[in-house]
Amino acid sequence: MDYLKVIVTITKYYNVVYAGAMVGFLAWFIMLLANGYHYGAGMSPITLAVMVISILTVVFAALNIYVDELIKGGRQR
């Protein structure tokens, strides 16, 4: 059961980091758009941000699903 508590705690902290990263990316997008980066004009920063957000989102969803299944399995025992 200690393993489950550690995983749940790590997931909670990861969720906070993920939320902070999304706020940071939103601020970065706003800054890029305000400085003239848009479709067709210097897309590399926006493309990089989209790739990082996509990877973080997949990891975020997978970790939360995994922890949810662990918790469900722990309740059934």
Side-chain angles (χ1 to χ4, degrees):
M1 228 22 166
D2 292 330
Y3 170 74
L4 180 60
K5 288 181 183 180
V6 170
I7 294 293
V8 168
T9 302
I10 290 170
T11 303
K12 286 180 184 179
Y13 286 119
Y14 180 78
N15 289 340
V16 171
V17 170
Y18 178 80
M22 291 303 108
V23 170
F25 279 121
L26 176 63
W28 187 31
F29 282 138
I30 291 170
M31 189 262 326
L32 287 173
L33 292 173
N35 289 322
Y37 289 96
H38 52 80
Y39 295 107
M43 284 291 292
S44 62
I46 294 174
T47 304
L48 175 64
V50 168
M51 287 188 329
V52 171
I53 288 172
S54 298
I55 292 168
L56 281 175
T57 301
V58 168
V59 172
F60 174 77
L63 182 61
N64 280 291
I65 290 169
Y66 177 70
V67 169
D68 188 48
E69 292 299 320
L70 280 178
I71 291 171
K72 285 180 185 176
R75 287 184 197 154
Q76 293 175 354
R77 292 180 189 158

